[in-house]
């Protein structure tokens, strides 16, 4: 039990550090209205757990009604990871993100949109960590924490959503949501017991997906560190 508690606490460190960095350092000058929006984004991320439970339960019930749960266990596992988990979580995070933008009482920028979506995702990831602590091992929790999967996908979706706002072409928002849902579903499925049961050869794909999430996290950090070099990210959009 002690090892699990330590692993759980350690898994939160990247998410917590990223939140405070985004709120206090990434955007300069860090105006109070911006900081309030960051706090709101974090709270929306925490609250995101509630609609996720509702949507995922609804999709799960729908699958049972149409008889998907009676099919092959591997297919059932894939559908569960891609739709019950990934799709519902990305959908609810996106909804909460739009609530943050609606409540923000200043002209936010493309950079702000990326940060807000990232923080919403980080907030959800922190609370989700307690769920995984119930039936996951210490290694699994540490991998999820270090790769900061939700935060990285939040960064991707925030970038595409900002691109849509900047260009007026909302195809980018749909594209970003689709990319994150597919990557998220593949990540969860790659770490599932059903996928691992296929044989040792599957380990390469699982590790690759975890590394991709880690690379996304690193790219995000570099982007935030160099954001002032591209002025389009700093132009007020609303």
């Amino acid at each position: 039990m002690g090892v699990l508690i330590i692993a759980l606490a350690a898994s939160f460190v990247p998410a917590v550090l990223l939140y405070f960095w985004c709120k206090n350092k990434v955007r300069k000058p860090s105006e109070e209205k911006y900081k309030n929006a960051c706090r709101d984004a974090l709270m929306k991320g925490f609250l995101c757990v509630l609609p996720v439970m509702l949507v995922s339960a609804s999709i799960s019930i729908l699958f049972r009604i149409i008889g998907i749960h009676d099919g092959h266990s591997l297919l059932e596992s894939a559908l569960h990871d891609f739709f019950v988990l990934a799709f519902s979580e990305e959908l609810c995070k996106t909804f909460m993100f739009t609530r943050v933008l609606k409540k923000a009482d200043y002209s936010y920028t493309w950079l702000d949109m990326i940060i807000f979506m990232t923080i919403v995702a980080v907030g959800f990831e922190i609370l989700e960590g307690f769920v995984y602590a119930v039936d996951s091992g210490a290694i699994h929790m540490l991998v999820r924490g270090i790769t900061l999967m939700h935060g990285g996908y939040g960064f991707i979706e925030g970038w595409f959503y900002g691109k849509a706002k900047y260009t007026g072409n909302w195809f980018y928002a749909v594209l970003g949501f689709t990319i994150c849902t597919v990557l998220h579903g593949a990540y969860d499925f790659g770490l599932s017991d059903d996928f691992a049961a296929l044989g040792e050869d599957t380990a390469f794909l699982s590790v690759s997906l975890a590394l991709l999430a880690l690379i996304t996290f690193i790219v995000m950090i570099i982007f935030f560190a160099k954001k002032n070099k591209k002025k389009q990210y700093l132009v007020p959009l609303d």
Side-chain angles (χ1 to χ4, degrees), residues 44-126:
K44 290 290 194 301
F46 290 153
L47 294 176
C48 192
V49 172
L50 299 177
V52 164
M53 291 172 62
L54 177 62
V55 174
S56 61
S58 299
I59 296 176
S60 183
I61 292 172
L62 177 62
F63 281 175
R64 288 184 175 276
I65 291 175
I66 62 180
I68 288 180
H69 68 290
D70 295 326
H72 193 277
S73 60
L74 185 63
L75 175 61
E76 181 184 350
S77 178
L79 290 173
H80 178 272
D81 290 335
F82 277 91
F83 290 96
V84 178
L85 296 182
F87 176 78
S88 62
E89 290 176 8
E90 295 302 329
L91 180 66
C92 294
K93 286 187 296 182
T94 301
F95 172 76
M96 287 300 191
F97 165 65
T98 61
R99 298 302 90 192
V100 174
L101 295 182
K102 186 175 182 180
K103 186 177 178 180
D105 57 350
Y106 75 100
S107 297
Y108 50 79
T109 66
W110 187 348
L111 175 64
D112 293 339
M113 295 177 72
I114 297 172
I115 291 172
F116 295 157
M117 184 64 207
T118 301
I119 292 177
V120 168
V122 163
F124 176 77
E125 186 153 17
I126 291 174

Side-chain angles (χ1 to χ4, degrees), residues 213-226:
L214 179 59
I215 291 171
T216 302
F217 175 51
I218 294 173
V219 170
M220 173 177 60
I221 298 300
I222 294 174
F223 174 86
F224 286 153
K226 297 184 176 181

Side-chain angles (χ1 to χ4, degrees), residues 132-178:
Y132 276 96
V134 175
D135 58 1
S136 297
I139 299 299
H140 190 179
M141 284 189 292
L142 287 174
V143 169
R144 293 185 68 89
I146 293 173
T147 58
L148 203 65
M149 179 265 289
H150 281 289
Y153 297 159
F155 166 74
I156 293 173
E157 189 167 344
W159 187 92
F160 276 100
Y161 206 101
K163 178 76 170 179
K165 185 79 172 179
Y166 183 76
T167 62
N169 186 350
W170 289 99
F171 166 77
Y172 288 110
V174 176
L175 178 61
F177 177 83
T178 302

Side-chain angles (χ1 to χ4, degrees), residues 177-236:
F177 177 83
T178 302
I179 290 173
C180 290
T181 299
V182 171
L183 289 176
H184 186 168
Y187 182 95
D188 285 342
F189 184 55
L191 292 178
S192 68
D193 293 335
D194 289 323
F195 184 74
L198 293 176
E200 296 181 357
D201 294 339
T202 62
F204 173 76
L205 180 58
S206 300
V207 173
S208 297
L209 290 168
L211 286 176
L212 178 60
L214 179 59
I215 291 171
T216 302
F217 175 51
I218 294 173
V219 170
M220 173 177 60
I221 298 300
I222 294 174
F223 174 86
F224 286 153
K226 297 184 176 181
K227 80 285 181 182
N228 290 325
K229 294 184 178 181
K230 295 186 178 182
K231 301 302 181 183
Q232 69 265 33
Y233 293 114
L234 307 177
V235 177

